[in-house]
Amino acid sequence: MEEKFWKDHYMLLNKDEENELEIFGYKTQGCRKALCIAGYILSCGALLLLFYWKPEWDVWANCIPCSLEEADVVLLRTTDEFQRCTRKKVTWIDLSALPLPDGSNSECPLVADKDSVINRAVKKPQLKVRCIQVQKIRYIWDFSVKQFKRVGSLEDSNTCHSIHHKFGAGLTREDQKIRQLVCGPNAIEVEIRPIWKLLFKEILNPFYVFQAFTLMLWLSQGYIEYSVAIIVLSIISVGLTVYDLRQQSTKLHDLVEEHNKVQVTVCVKSEGCKELESRYLVPGDVFLLDRKKLSLPCDAVLIDGSCVVNEGMLTGESIPVTKTPLPLMESPMPWKTHSMEDYRRHVLFCGTEVIQMKPTGRGPVRAVVLQTGFNTAKGDLVRSILYPKPMNFQLYRDAFKFIIGLSAIGVLGLIYTVCVFTYHQKPVAEVVAMALLLLTVAVPPAIPAALTTGTVYAQRRLKKKMIFCITPQRINICGQINLVCFDKTGTLTEDGLDLWGVLPSEGSRFQEIRKFPSSTPLPWGPVCGAMVSCHSLVVLDKKIQGDPLDLKMFEGTHWEIEESNTSQDGAGVLHTCVVRPGPKASSAPVEGIAILHQFPFSSGLQRMSVVSQKIGEEQYDLYMKGAPEIVSSLCRQETVPADFLKELKMYTSQGFRVIALAHKVLSLGKDVDVSDLEREEAESGLVFLGLLVMENRLKQETKPVLRELAAARIRSVMVTGDNLQTAVTVARSAEMIPKASKVIIIEASEPEGSTPASIAWQLAEDSKASTAAAPVCVCANAQEKINLDGESCNYHFAMNGKSYQVLVKHFYSSLPKILVNATVFARMSPGQKSSLVEELQKLDYYVGMCGDGANDCGALKMAHAGISLSEQEASVASPFTSQIPNIQCVPELIREGRAALVSSFAVVKYLTLYGLIQFVGTALLFWQLQIFGNHQYLIQDVVITLLVCLTMSLTEAYPKLAPYRPPGQLISPPLLLSVVLNVCFTVTMQTCGFLLVKQQPWYVALASRRHCSLGNQTVLTTSPKGNGTSSVQSTVLSYEDTTLWPLTTINCIIVAFVFSKGKPFRKPIYTNYVFSVLLALQLAVCLFLFFADIDAVYRGMQFLCTPVIWRVYVLLMLLANFCVSFFTEDVLLQNKHLWMLIKACFGYQSKSQYRKWQRMLQRDPNWPPVNTKDFAAKRMAEVYVNPSYEHGD
């Protein structure tokens, strides 16, 4: 019974997605609500504030658990490690007022699409729909499966056929009205948040609430000036934060607002087409792309015609992308599965711009609305900005633990104060006030705020270096990066490829290579035909635009493109692209070639093809270009040269990018519609034409940057869509793989029939000799031994995406062993890139990913720090965007990350010490019922601490990357020891000062005069009952106070200096001019106040005059403290070699997964396997067994 209740009470929302949530059902109960309201009143709103911070407590107090079907309130909880909760009300949408289709009150479906979730969500006969709104997305209750389902997008279960047939003619008017009401408007609305809302949210932050409580306490004790100073600073801080948030809110609102009011032509079933504002679009609507330069207001799937789109807003790449219509075919598979990874080639994404339409003979270009509002690609981006994913970074959790630790010390202080003041029979009000005062002294509430200062300054420095950041919290994480994945083309190598040569093939034999540039133009022939027509280039504003590879290939022919022209054929209007020979081209027997249809390039298929027709002729030709392995497999084998693999390897091993060309004459009828051609059928039985050899030069910055990362012990990995051999060669020439290292190529195969999945390990050098021969099984003892040299290994694994997929599927237990030494991943699809980043993160690597943004989107988002090389200021793809198009941004970001991390640690350590120094001083004075004066606290808190916190992080990053990372945890031995030892030094010094002053011959317990005589000999008259002083002065004026104040205040300056260490992660302290000058000025002010001998100064500061010799003794105590503290911090705690020695003595080893695997593999005599083959199944005779893996620790 309980199990059934739990099942109904709880479910997962967005299962297995990035924004997965747990949802629990609750019902509000009247008597509980009444009790809570009474609690709010009695606690003067404190209970309400607690519920604001903890929504789950609010729900538990006001409601009782129930099934989700009966719930009027739901509690949502994230499934990540943060477990954040939110409370949402369940609302009802009333459909009864709508003009509904006949029979809708009975069993008939409400909307025409029987599979639509709307039909299953309507409660009959009331005609109401239950819904909740979570992070701008609407979910409605599906009564059939008893779950909340997302609404605002077309069901993924639709097949290609059903999309064409159900929605091809448009929706009825009634359908549109129902969908508009249930799905909500198609608008990405970002409200400009009112200032009062922002203000309240900021003020109700626990940090400010704690500060308000502290201020009330200080004001009640008469510390007016200090409290006013803190109030002014808090108002400035809150004001700046609110202004910043308001600016961001306005900026985002303006960015999305214009896209909400686009005019579109919508087809209504049996009513024809009509103009409509885009906010009224619903999933399933059909709209026409009938105007040039349309900014798409929703996500849609093309069903008729094709178009060219600029997706720069989404990917950061402004290369035009060709979109093709969804094929009309009978297939039981959902349309996305049918298209596999390439379903995107049929989808027009919201926010992207249509720059060219190519209608078919059937009429204008048409598309079906897939997703609206915040469900779209652009909506997703806006939601990721509105609701950023919290970063699981140790620093913030450790800072919280620090605050708890300090609170515990504060509680001990509170108990101590209560005991002392009660013993002296002080009134209860004074005991409570003083006890709370000491508690607030121990906990500096500024710790969370101070953590962000280092990040803010680092962000500003990065912006100057043209690196933009949309999630500043990740800057600190960059300081921990120890592995960087690089895309190849456009990242490590030049974006544009240069055409190096063409290797034509005739009669299944390669001809002589033709190199470029050449004095004579390329002669006419099938190769020339393929080069002039097999591309996706378009003419925009009289300029040819498109993929850089296509551009170079086309320019090499000296042909020209005409702007899209419209030709008339039997079926109607047909948009074609025409290419003609230019003045410098070789003479051709054709006037020109019309490109009629395009099967666009996709990273999944690794090829593209076009259907073309020579002008004035009836014959149709299909030209294809793509990855040589793929193209050759689609050609008739008798046309592929026997030495194809040998020639291919020859060029790829020299680092050339090789593309294969193929051709086929299509036997089509006279008035055929080429857009109806099946891709699989058309792209088969081709004639192999030859190889196009492109030169892909390394960017000049690549080598030095990779050397710098290697010197800093940061691993570099190449993840590319290019050929494996080319990738290995580029990795070698970029020195990603050192010259002396061996490369082991891993080839994994899926199971076939009775043969299980297998992995073949082959030395890249050997593979030249045996290209066609299968790897032979070699006994373990006869294998060539490859050694490990300490940290760096002298072997590297390389594999392609297909092999990686097989490893994940069939050899998952061996994957970590391979990944710790794998350097090259070729022919990787976007999904595989993301998977690889995730697997590396599981090995405890902090992964950086650097790519050009297009097919790397998933990996850039998945990595700890994704850097997109893009011209846009902020690419949707990644947290970081570099406008400098080379990988120099990677070490730059790591340097700034390390500096920000070290700065954050320094500020936390400083604030902890400052709180404890003040705590010790105040506790000592409490022993004799005294306290520091108002101005004394003011100097410590505002003149010193506040300014130190603001300027300490201004120190810039050290230009050279150290070969080790800064500690990633606050709660680590060196940092904790630093705090503990410095607290011990300050306790010792202050206690000595406190006790020694009582031993001086001139000491008296209560003094009434503070000025010094002319001879600087202290003349004091004592007043046994303190008649000479007011009540406030008697609690301040004493020799103990005058001695302890410089000891605590100057000690704060000392720790600020000691904790501001420069090398190896930051520049030396003297380069931070503001901070250095400030420390010198603060020290000068403190010494002046202490040595002034000016009566007005002493009166203001509430000091007593002491002999100069005593003041010198106090300075000597501070000097001794500085020397001990500096020696401990710099020579002992920051000594990397000493810590390494201690770790070695205690046998400490890193707990990171990748370190464990490295240690295990170093002990394994049979690793790595070379020239062997392993099988996944239990065929023990052939299975390679790794002893240390079998019996490893």
Side-chain angles (χ1 to χ4, degrees):
M1 185 74 185
E2 196 172 306
E3 197 178 308
K4 187 183 182 307
F5 171 76
W6 175 250
K7 196 179 158 203
D8 293 341
H9 166 63
Y10 157 88
M11 69 166 267
L12 275 174
L13 212 57
N14 307 324
K15 198 174 178 193
D16 298 330
E17 287 180 39
E18 200 179 350
N19 55 343
E20 188 180 74
L21 293 163
E22 291 176 310
I23 178 168
F24 304 88
Y26 287 90
K27 195 187 279 181
T28 313
Q29 210 178 33
C31 56
R32 281 176 174 241
K33 198 163 180 133
L35 280 169
C36 285
I37 291 167
Y40 302 155
I41 296 162
L42 293 171
S43 65
C44 303
L47 186 64
L48 195 62
L49 186 64
L50 191 65
F51 285 170
Y52 170 76
W53 290 337
K54 288 278 186 185
E56 60 270 41
W57 294 1
D58 179 15
V59 174
W60 297 334
N62 281 285
C63 314
I64 53 164
C66 68
S67 70
L68 282 163
E69 195 166 356
E70 299 166 341
D72 59 1
V73 168
V74 291
L75 182 68
L76 297 152
R77 188 171 68 193
T78 58
T79 52
D80 55 20
E81 59 273 40
F82 300 98
Q83 304 266 297
R84 288 162 303 131
C85 293
T86 35
R87 175 188 190 272
K88 291 282 171 192
K89 284 192 85 166
V90 179
T91 54
W92 289 88
I93 301 168
D94 191 359
L95 304 176
S96 56
L98 288 176
L100 301 171
D102 296 333
S104 55
N105 285 336
S106 61
E107 292 306 304
C108 292
L110 205 63
V111 293
D113 177 15
K114 293 185 181 67
D115 302 324
S116 173
V117 69
I118 298 172
N119 286 325
R120 304 192 298 273
V122 177
K123 189 175 185 182
K124 294 181 178 178
Q126 297 96 323
L127 293 177
K128 285 185 173 181
V129 177
R130 294 175 78 225
C131 75
I132 52 171
Q133 189 105 351
V134 182
Q135 291 188 350
K136 306 282 185 188
I137 299 286
R138 188 176 284 182
Y139 297 86
I140 58 176
W141 181 255
D142 183 338
F143 284 96
S144 62
V145 291
K146 300 204 180 316
Q147 282 187 344
F148 278 106
K149 290 285 179 75
R150 194 169 176 156
V151 75
S153 46
L154 221 53
E155 278 68 23
D156 280 343
S157 58
N158 282 306
T159 63
C160 298
H161 184 265
S162 64
I163 286 181
H164 277 277
H165 279 82
K166 278 188 203 170
F167 307 107
L171 299 172
T172 61
R173 189 180 291 280
E174 291 83 4
D175 249 16
Q176 283 180 334
K177 291 273 183 243
I178 295 166
R179 285 175 185 262
Q180 276 167 16
L181 204 54
V182 176
C183 302
N186 170 40
I188 299 170
E189 288 169 333
V190 178
E191 60 160 348
I192 299 177
R193 287 193 286 180
I195 288 173
W196 67 268
K197 261 192 187 177
L198 292 167
L199 200 61
F200 263 94
K201 197 174 177 187
E202 196 59 31
I203 288 169
L204 296 179
N205 183 319
F207 157 63
Y208 284 116
V209 171
F210 179 72
Q211 203 166 55
F213 165 71
T214 312
L215 286 169
M216 277 156 49
L217 203 65
W218 290 101
L219 285 166
S220 70
Q221 294 304 300
Y223 296 110
I224 310 294
E225 295 96 325
Y226 169 61
S227 301
V228 167
I230 294 295
I231 288 168
V232 169
L233 286 166
S234 297
I235 288 170
I236 292 169
S237 170
V238 169
L240 286 172
T241 309
V242 167
Y243 172 76
D244 197 33
L245 288 169
R246 173 82 174 186
Q247 287 291 95
Q248 282 177 18
S249 185
T250 312
K251 202 172 171 184
L252 195 57
H253 173 270
D254 295 344
L255 181 77
V256 297
E257 191 55 33
E258 60 189 277
H259 286 224
N260 293 339
K261 292 176 182 158
V262 180
Q263 288 295 317
V264 286
T265 309
V266 178
C267 299
V268 183
K269 206 169 193 172
S270 12
E271 288 185 32
C273 299
K274 58 171 186 176
E275 282 272 317
L276 201 67
E277 199 175 296
S278 63
R279 64 182 296 110
Y280 298 112
L281 284 174
V282 291
D285 262 335
V286 171
F287 67 98
L288 308 180
L289 282 86
D290 53 358
R291 57 171 64 82
K292 212 176 176 190
K293 294 267 175 142
L294 168 73
S295 187
L296 284 158
C298 59
D299 284 0
V301 60
L302 265 182
I303 56 166
D304 202 0
S306 58
C307 56
V308 178
V309 182
N310 179 0
E311 291 188 347
M313 188 291 268
L314 283 182
T315 62
E317 272 198 311
S318 49
I319 292 171
V321 181
T322 304
K323 300 287 181 175
T324 56
L326 188 72
L328 172 55
M329 58 196 324
E330 295 281 351
S331 167
M333 282 193 291
W335 70 277
K336 279 188 182 177
T337 319
H338 175 266
S339 305
M340 296 185 301
E341 277 178 4
D342 303 315
Y343 75 86
R344 297 171 70 93
R345 67 172 182 247
H346 309 304
V347 180
L348 306 170
F349 293 102
C350 177
T352 60
E353 200 174 13
V354 177
I355 45 183
Q356 204 175 68
M357 267 82 63
K358 295 178 183 172
T360 56
R362 288 189 293 271
V365 179
R366 292 182 305 142
V368 173
V369 177
L370 270 184
Q371 270 131 211
T372 56
F374 280 96
N375 292 288
T376 61
K378 186 177 180 184
D380 234 10
L381 154 71
V382 175
R383 280 174 57 238
S384 70
I385 297 169
L386 287 172
Y387 310 103
K389 205 177 168 193
M391 291 309 303
N392 173 21
F393 193 46
Q394 201 71 37
L395 176 62
Y396 297 98
R397 288 186 304 189
D398 286 355
F400 184 66
K401 287 176 189 168
F402 248 66
I403 291 172
I404 290 172
L406 291 173
S407 304
I409 294 169
V411 169
L412 292 174
L414 182 137
I415 296 163
Y416 157 80
T417 311
V418 168
C419 295
V420 171
F421 278 73
T422 311
Y423 176 75
H424 287 286
Q425 296 174 346
K426 289 289 175 187
V428 175
E430 193 179 340
V431 173
V432 171
M434 289 300 170
L436 289 172
L437 202 86
L438 195 58
L439 172 70
T440 59
V441 162
V443 187
I447 285 181
L451 277 177
T452 59
T453 55
T455 312
V456 170
Y457 292 141
Q459 192 178 3
R460 269 177 37 195
R461 288 196 291 269
L462 285 170
K463 201 169 180 180
K464 282 180 189 167
K465 290 165 184 168
M466 309 297 282
I467 300 168
F468 300 91
C469 172
I470 55 170
T471 47
Q473 308 96 307
R474 287 197 191 233
I475 294 175
N476 276 337
I477 300 178
C478 292
Q480 288 293 294
I481 284 174
N482 55 359
L483 182 147
V484 187
C485 295
F486 292 100
D487 181 31
K488 183 180 77 70
T489 312
T491 305
L492 296 173
T493 58
E494 293 290 354
D495 204 2
L497 295 155
D498 288 322
L499 184 59
W500 184 83
V502 176
L503 188 64
S505 165
E506 263 178 55
S508 77
R509 270 207 185 90
F510 280 119
Q511 307 300 305
E512 196 179 322
I513 188 155
R514 181 183 177 83
K515 293 194 178 176
F516 286 85
S518 162
S519 52
T520 55
L522 183 73
W524 169 252
V527 172
C528 182
M531 287 172 68
V532 298
S533 58
C534 194
H535 53 73
S536 57
L537 301 173
V538 292
V539 177
L540 294 174
D541 307 322
K542 301 200 169 152
K543 192 177 169 210
I544 302 174
Q545 288 190 14
D547 189 286
L549 185 148
D550 286 356
L551 208 54
K552 288 283 179 192
M553 177 184 77
F554 184 73
E555 282 170 358
T557 63
H558 300 297
W559 278 47
E560 291 170 352
I561 299 188
E562 279 185 10
E563 289 219 33
S564 275
N565 75 335
T566 311
S567 63
Q568 202 79 14
D569 73 351
V573 179
L574 191 68
H575 280 246
T576 55
C577 169
V578 176
V579 289
R580 300 181 190 274
K584 290 184 183 174
S586 60
S587 60
V590 289
E591 186 192 327
I593 296 176
I595 301 163
L596 305 176
H597 185 64
Q598 194 185 110
F599 295 114
F601 175 80
S602 81
S603 43
L605 298 174
Q606 296 177 356
R607 64 179 188 267
M608 78 159 289
S609 53
V610 294
V611 177
S612 66
Q613 191 177 31
K614 296 185 187 80
I615 291 174
E617 292 183 25
E618 286 184 9
Q619 177 188 306
Y620 291 94
D621 296 287
L622 180 129
Y623 289 108
M624 179 194 283
K625 76 169 193 302
E629 307 92 327
I630 304 289
V631 173
S632 64
S633 70
L634 297 170
C635 290
R636 301 204 309 272
Q637 285 313 296
E638 68 270 16
T639 67
V640 180
D643 57 348
F644 165 75
L645 285 173
K646 183 177 161 230
E647 288 289 332
L648 176 62
K649 188 151 275 183
M650 189 180 90
Y651 289 108
T652 54
S653 62
Q654 292 174 57
F656 289 114
R657 173 95 180 260
V658 182
I659 285 147
L661 301 171
H663 168 246
K664 173 186 181 180
V665 175
L666 295 172
S667 47
L668 303 173
K670 197 171 182 190
D671 290 336
V672 73
D673 188 350
V674 287
S675 60
D676 286 343
L677 279 174
E678 284 288 332
R679 184 166 190 169
E680 283 70 25
E681 197 183 311
E683 294 182 333
S684 61
L686 288 95
V687 173
F688 185 79
L689 293 181
L691 300 173
L692 204 61
V693 184
M694 318 278 295
E695 194 173 18
N696 197 190
R697 296 194 189 99
L698 278 181
K699 289 182 180 175
Q700 60 184 46
E701 301 83 6
T702 299
K703 252 189 192 174
V705 167
L706 292 177
R707 269 192 210 128
E708 186 180 2
L709 293 177
R713 291 188 181 175
I714 295 167
R715 249 184 88 187
S716 299
V717 169
M718 187 194 290
V719 189
T720 177
D722 205 345
N723 173 284
L724 180 58
Q725 204 62 50
T726 306
V728 170
T729 311
V730 170
R732 277 205 184 279
S733 59
E735 291 175 19
M736 198 180 262
I737 298 173
K739 285 188 171 64
S741 298
K742 305 255 183 196
V743 175
I744 300 169
I745 289 176
I746 295 174
E747 282 182 39
S749 312
E750 286 276 7
E752 282 178 33
S754 60
T755 315
S758 63
I759 317 180
W761 318 76
Q762 196 168 19
L763 269 175
E765 287 70 21
D766 295 352
S767 56
K768 286 178 191 170
S770 57
T771 321
V776 286
C777 288
V778 181
C779 300
N781 57 5
Q783 278 184 24
E784 182 180 340
K785 180 72 187 112
I786 294 180
N787 298 313
L788 287 153
D789 313 329
E791 284 244 333
S792 64
C793 64
N794 70 345
Y795 69 92
H796 295 258
F797 292 124
M799 71 188 84
N800 60 23
K802 188 170 133 287
S803 298
Y804 172 75
Q805 204 64 44
V806 174
L807 287 177
V808 171
K809 202 168 164 187
H810 300 285
F811 297 91
Y812 194 72
S813 59
S814 302
L815 191 64
K817 297 191 287 186
I818 293 165
L819 290 185
V820 290
N821 287 111
T823 305
V824 176
F825 296 86
R827 293 280 186 242
M828 295 285 275
S829 69
Q832 287 166 345
K833 288 184 182 184
S834 304
S835 161
L836 174 67
V837 168
E838 199 174 356
E839 291 301 331
L840 288 167
Q841 286 172 335
K842 284 179 189 171
L843 291 175
D844 298 331
Y845 280 110
Y846 276 84
V847 184
M849 171 79 200
C850 184
D852 52 12
N855 54 358
D856 306 317
C857 282
L860 288 166
K861 277 186 173 173
M862 182 69 71
H864 288 106
I867 314 155
S868 167
L869 304 182
S870 161
E871 289 169 20
Q872 312 267 326
E873 191 168 304
S875 164
V876 180
S878 62
F880 297 96
T881 307
S882 168
Q883 285 190 345
I884 299 160
N886 61 55
I887 61 168
Q888 269 177 325
C889 57
V890 175
E892 205 61 73
L893 191 59
I894 295 172
R895 273 194 285 272
E896 287 298 348
R898 288 179 173 188
L901 189 58
V902 171
S903 297
S904 299
F905 282 0
V907 172
V908 171
K909 275 165 62 179
Y910 170 74
L911 280 172
T912 306
L913 251 295
Y914 142 75
L916 292 173
I917 287 168
Q918 218 176 52
F919 175 82
V920 172
T922 309
L924 286 169
L925 287 176
F926 273 13
W927 184 254
Q928 52 189 42
L929 310 182
Q930 288 191 311
I931 191 167
F932 286 121
N934 196 348
H935 290 134
Q936 293 173 1
Y937 273 129
L938 193 70
I939 297 254
Q940 283 178 356
D941 292 352
V942 179
V943 176
I944 293 175
T945 300
L946 184 83
L947 295 175
V948 162
C949 285
L950 289 175
T951 57
M952 201 179 203
S953 303
L954 282 171
T955 312
E956 291 184 7
Y958 195 67
K960 187 176 184 292
L961 277 176
Y964 50 91
R965 299 176 293 163
Q969 295 179 313
L970 258 178
I971 300 173
S972 61
L975 274 96
L976 281 179
L977 264 174
S978 172
V979 170
V980 170
L981 290 173
N982 275 289
V983 168
C984 293
F985 301 153
T986 194
V987 168
T988 309
M989 180 180 67
Q990 290 190 35
T991 311
C992 286
F994 183 75
L995 296 174
L996 285 173
V997 74
K998 291 176 185 286
Q999 312 301 318
Q1000 303 307 310
W1002 40 263
Y1003 170 81
V1004 280
L1006 285 168
S1008 62
R1009 292 173 61 189
R1010 61 171 67 82
H1011 59 83
C1012 301
S1013 69
L1014 293 171
N1016 202 33
Q1017 293 302 311
T1018 311
V1019 182
L1020 287 158
T1021 57
T1022 60
S1023 153
K1025 291 198 165 54
N1027 297 339
T1029 58
S1030 70
S1031 60
V1032 175
Q1033 286 170 337
S1034 64
T1035 60
V1036 177
L1037 276 177
S1038 72
Y1039 286 116
E1040 289 87 347
D1041 172 84
T1042 306
T1043 301
L1044 283 176
W1045 184 82
L1047 288 177
T1048 53
T1049 312
I1050 296 175
N1051 198 10
C1052 285
I1053 299 171
I1054 288 170
V1055 291
F1057 178 82
V1058 168
F1059 289 161
S1060 296
K1061 185 172 166 56
K1063 282 170 73 174
F1065 305 115
R1066 296 192 294 170
K1067 285 183 181 176
I1069 185 172
Y1070 58 78
T1071 59
N1072 183 350
Y1073 306 119
V1074 179
F1075 183 62
S1076 307
V1077 169
L1078 205 64
L1079 284 188
L1081 284 173
Q1082 287 170 344
L1083 186 62
V1085 167
C1086 292
L1087 292 175
F1088 168 74
L1089 294 174
F1090 191 42
F1091 281 93
D1093 284 351
I1094 300 167
D1095 206 34
V1097 171
Y1098 275 31
R1099 195 181 299 113
M1101 290 299 296
Q1102 292 174 284
F1103 284 164
L1104 287 173
C1105 187
T1106 55
V1108 172
I1109 191 71
W1110 175 248
R1111 286 180 256 180
V1112 171
Y1113 285 151
V1114 167
L1115 272 189
L1116 288 172
M1117 285 160 79
L1118 283 163
L1119 189 65
N1121 182 48
F1122 168 72
C1123 293
V1124 173
S1125 181
F1126 188 77
F1127 177 81
T1128 309
E1129 189 74 20
D1130 224 49
V1131 179
L1132 301 178
L1133 298 176
Q1134 298 286 339
N1135 188 330
K1136 186 79 181 166
H1137 301 295
L1138 182 66
W1139 281 104
M1140 296 295 275
L1141 200 67
I1142 293 168
K1143 282 178 181 179
C1145 291
F1146 287 96
Y1148 172 83
Q1149 290 184 317
S1150 168
K1151 292 186 179 70
S1152 298
Q1153 286 298 319
Y1154 71 93
R1155 288 283 189 213
K1156 286 181 183 174
W1157 282 106
Q1158 281 171 345
R1159 290 195 293 269
M1160 199 188 293
L1161 296 174
Q1162 273 181 322
R1163 295 194 299 269
D1164 182 357
N1166 300 318
W1167 188 264
V1170 180
N1171 298 337
T1172 64
K1173 195 165 189 173
D1174 309 337
F1175 292 94
K1178 297 170 184 173
R1179 290 166 59 171
M1180 294 311 290
E1182 290 174 277
V1183 172
Y1184 165 79
V1185 179
N1186 177 344
S1188 79
Y1189 179 65
E1190 294 290 311
H1191 316 292
D1193 46 40

